Amino acid sequence: MDFLPINLRLRDQPVVLVGAGVVAARKARFLLGAGAILTVIAPEQDAQFRALGEEFSLTWQQREYAPGDLAGAIMVIAATPDRGVNESVHREARSLNIPVNVVDSPDLCSFIFPAIVDRSPLIVAISSSGASPVLARSVRSRIEAMLPAATADIARFGRLHRDRIRAAGESEGERRRIWEQIIDGPIAQLILSNRWQAAEQALAELLESHSTSAVGEVYLIGAGPGDPELMTFKALRLLQRADIVLHDRLVNPDIVAMARRDADKLYVGKRRSDHSVPQDRINELLVELALEGKRVARLKGGDPFVFGRGGEEIELLAQRDIPFQVVPGITAGNAAACYAGIPLTHRDYAQSVRFVTGHTKDGELHHRWEEFLSNTETLVFYMGLVGLPIICRELIAHGRSKDTPVALIERATSAEQRLLTGTLGSIESLVESAKPQAPTLIIVGKVVLLAERLRWYGSG
Ligand code: SAH
C-alpha cells in the first residue's frame, strides 16, 4: 500500500491553495465543503471562484506565491500551470512537514485525493494510488449505483442512536449483532423508504426484545474452485458475518481475506497426507464454537456436498440442534470444464455426466468399473492425480478404447491453470513429463475433443 487512506477533519483549519484555475476551483469546492478556512493565492482567478465566493467565505490573495506563504497551514495544494511554482510550493511544504498535493504531478504529492462517493456521514473513498484515476472513477460509479442516496439516512440514524445501541449490547460481539440486525434488516428498509418514525419504533422493539444468551450459527459455505469471483453473493454475505472462519487448503487465501478483519481465521488442513486437524475434531469444533455464541463460517473448496465431507460436518450440528446453513458452491467439475472449454454434456457427444472419486485407499480404487463404459457419458474424476494410472488401466481393462479422450485440468480457474489433453492410452506419459500440481481434475469422454474448438482466453 503506497498511500494510507484517512479521513481528515478540516473544519476551521487553515488550508492554502496556490493557483485559481478550473482544477483549483474543483479542489477548492471540496475543501470548502469540508469546512476549511481557505486562502487562495493567485494573480488571476477563474470565473468559478466567483460562484464559490458567493457560497462560501474564502480569502483571495491576488498575487504570485512567495516562500513563506505556507506558514500555519495544515495542508497545501498547488494547482498552477507553472511547474517551477509548483516545485517551490512543494519544497516549502516539505520543509515545514505540511502535507502537499501538486495537481497532476504524483512525484510532488505527499497525499492524493481519492474519488469519493458522498453519502455523508458515510463516505467511500476510492484510490488507485495515482496509477489509474480513470479506473478509480469507474469503480466509484459502480459503488454510486450500489448505494442509494438514502444510505446517508441509515448512517445518520446510526449516529443518532449510537449511545442507546451501545448500552443495549453487553459485549462487542453482541453490539455488532444488533448493528447488523439494524443495517441488514427491516429497520434499514424503513429508513430507505423514508419512514423514519416507524424505524425508530422498530429500533425500540429490537433493543427491548434483544436477548443476550444466543447460540451462534454455522455457515457451511461452498467457496468455489479458487477464483474469488466464482463465489456466490450469499457465500460472501455470510462469510462477512462470521466471527470465526475455518478454512482448508483448497480455499484461496484471497477468499479468506474477504472475511471481517477482526474475525479469527483458523486453518484446519488438509493436504492428501497432512490432516492438520482431523475430521472428527473439525466436526466438534464447529459445535463448540457455535455454543460459545459465535457465528462460524466453515469454508469449503468447491461445493460442500461434492466430495467435501460437508454432510459429516453438519451431522453433529443437526443432532445438537445448532442452527446452520449450507451454501452451495461451484464445484471443481463445473468450473474446470468451463474454464477448459469442455462442455460436460453436449447433444452430440454426452447425454450424462458422472462425478467420481479418484481417491485411492491402500493404493487401490474400488469402483464398479463396468458402470463406466458408456461412450455417451462424461466421467469427471476428483482427487485422481495419484490414481490416474489405475483409472486408465481399469477403464481400458473393462473395455473402454485406449483412444478415449482425456483431459487433465490443473489448478483450474487460477492464473496457473494448465490443460493437458491426451487419451486413456497416452495421458500417463504426458503427466510424467508435465508434472501437474494438485489440485487437478480429470475429464474422460468425447467432449474433451471440443476443448480445441471452444478454446477461450481463460481456458489454459
Ligand atoms: N468440494 C470440492 C471437491 C473437494 S475434493 C468441489 O466441489 O470442488 C478435492 C478435489 O477437487 C481435488 O483433488 C481436485 O480433483 C478437485 N479440485 C478442487 N479444486 C480444483 C481446482 N481449482 N482445479 C482442479 N481441480 C480441483
Side-chain angles (χ1 to χ4, degrees):
M1 190 155 60
D2 292 332
F3 292 89
L4 178 73
I6 56 169
N7 292 6
L8 195 65
R9 190 191 293 278
L10 280 188
R11 190 152 305 281
D12 299 332
Q13 299 294 319
V15 174
V16 173
L17 173 61
V18 181
V22 181
V23 182
R26 229 171 16 236
K27 301 291 184 216
R29 177 165 287 284
F30 275 130
L31 299 165
L32 291 165
I37 304 174
L38 188 64
T39 302
V40 181
I41 301 172
E44 278 164 44
Q45 268 192 334
D46 184 83
Q48 291 190 31
F49 273 89
R50 240 188 319 269
L52 278 172
E54 279 164 22
E55 209 178 319
F56 302 96
S57 97
L58 68 114
T59 308
W60 176 22
Q61 299 192 3
Q62 187 172 10
R63 56 177 178 78
E64 296 284 355
Y65 155 82
D69 278 347
L70 308 185
I74 68 146
M75 178 192 271
V76 177
I77 291 115
T80 80
D82 184 330
R83 171 97 187 170
V85 173
N86 289 345
E87 279 174 354
S88 318
V89 174
H90 171 258
R91 213 170 309 121
E92 183 185 353
R94 296 310 287 159
S95 72
L96 297 172
N97 280 330
I98 303 173
V100 56
N101 176 280
V102 179
V103 169
D104 288 337
S105 303
D107 54 320
L108 299 182
C109 289
S110 71
F111 74 93
I112 53 178
F113 285 93
I116 290 173
V117 180
D118 187 0
R119 300 284 184 272
S120 286
L122 177 79
I123 295 165
V124 185
I126 304 116
S127 169
S128 65
S129 306
S132 173
V134 177
L135 173 65
R137 282 201 289 276
S138 147
V139 172
R140 176 185 57 191
S141 55
R142 277 181 262 165
I143 297 177
E144 286 266 8
M146 267 167 59
L147 295 178
T151 307
D153 294 333
I154 300 178
R156 283 198 298 121
F157 185 89
R159 180 157 68 186
L160 200 64
H161 298 292
R162 193 169 50 193
D163 293 342
R164 275 170 76 200
I165 296 166
R166 186 176 293 156
E170 274 178 14
S171 64
E172 188 60 41
E174 222 176 281
R175 282 192 285 274
R176 188 171 51 233
R177 237 160 273 179
I178 301 175
W179 276 112
E180 282 170 359
Q181 283 183 48
I182 295 169
I183 291 162
D184 296 336
I187 295 182
Q189 295 308 315
L190 288 170
I191 300 169
L192 288 177
S193 50
N194 213 4
R195 298 175 58 200
W196 192 275
Q197 249 181 350
E200 296 207 314
Q201 198 174 335
L203 176 68
E205 283 164 22
L206 173 72
L207 296 183
E208 207 163 297
S209 69
H210 166 68
S211 97
T212 52
S213 71
V215 173
E217 195 177 0
V218 176
Y219 315 126
L220 182 62
I221 299 176
D227 179 350
E229 290 214 283
L230 295 176
M231 297 239 291
T232 61
F233 289 122
K234 187 163 188 173
L236 185 62
R237 184 168 61 77
L238 293 183
L239 174 61
Q240 291 181 337
R241 283 177 87 101
D243 305 305
I244 179 162
V245 180
L246 274 61
H247 58 100
D248 50 41
R249 192 181 53 91
L250 275 182
V251 177
N252 184 337
D254 290 346
I255 291 177
V256 180
M258 288 173 170
R260 276 203 331 262
R261 194 166 286 233
D262 63 329
D264 293 319
K265 286 121 195 150
L266 190 63
Y267 174 76
V268 292
K270 44 205 167 175
R271 248 169 249 279
R272 203 181 144 79
S273 48
D274 135 49
H275 285 240
S276 301
V277 180
Q279 187 65 51
D280 288 350
R281 182 64 200 126
I282 296 176
N283 306 351
E284 285 165 8
L285 206 54
L286 294 176
V287 171
E288 287 167 17
L289 290 167
L291 288 177
E292 287 171 19
K294 298 215 162 81
R295 280 166 309 183
V296 188
R298 170 66 173 121
L299 279 179
K300 310 284 294 184
D303 180 276
F305 280 4
V306 177
F307 303 124
R309 304 188 78 167
E312 293 165 54
E313 295 192 5
I314 54 175
E315 208 168 308
L316 209 55
L317 298 169
Q319 268 172 30
R320 306 286 294 271
D321 272 337
I322 289 169
F324 63 86
Q325 301 187 46
V326 184
V327 183
I330 295 183
T331 187
N334 286 136
C338 285
Y339 275 56
I342 301 173
L344 290 177
T345 67
H346 188 286
R347 273 212 311 194
D348 300 332
Y349 305 108
Q351 276 66 53
S352 60
V353 53
R354 189 188 290 255
F355 288 173
V356 187
T357 172
H359 185 68
T360 51
K361 238 186 178 161
D362 310 322
E364 276 308 320
L365 255 177
H366 302 284
H367 285 310
R368 293 149 70 100
W369 297 98
E370 63 279 9
E371 289 178 357
F372 299 171
L373 305 182
S374 164
N375 264 328
T376 56
E377 179 166 88
T378 306
L379 300 176
V380 178
F381 286 92
Y382 286 69
M383 301 170 280
L385 188 56
V386 173
L388 182 68
I390 306 175
I391 293 170
C392 296
R393 188 187 69 215
E394 293 289 347
L395 286 175
I396 293 168
H398 283 80
R400 297 288 304 248
S401 155
K402 269 193 168 75
D403 299 327
T404 308
V406 179
L408 197 142
I409 302 126
E410 173 189 5
R411 292 187 276 184
T413 79
S414 76
E416 292 81 36
Q417 172 174 314
R418 267 204 303 174
L419 169 67
L420 296 175
T421 52
T423 62
L424 283 180
S426 71
I427 192 85
E428 242 189 282
S429 58
L430 281 173
V431 163
E432 263 164 40
S433 56
K435 298 200 176 24
Q437 310 250 318
T440 58
L441 193 96
I442 298 158
I443 302 181
V444 179
K446 277 185 283 189
V447 285
V448 167
L449 296 175
L450 293 165
E452 198 52 48
R453 262 175 33 214
L454 303 183
R455 181 176 286 275
W456 54 288
Y457 60 81
S459 59

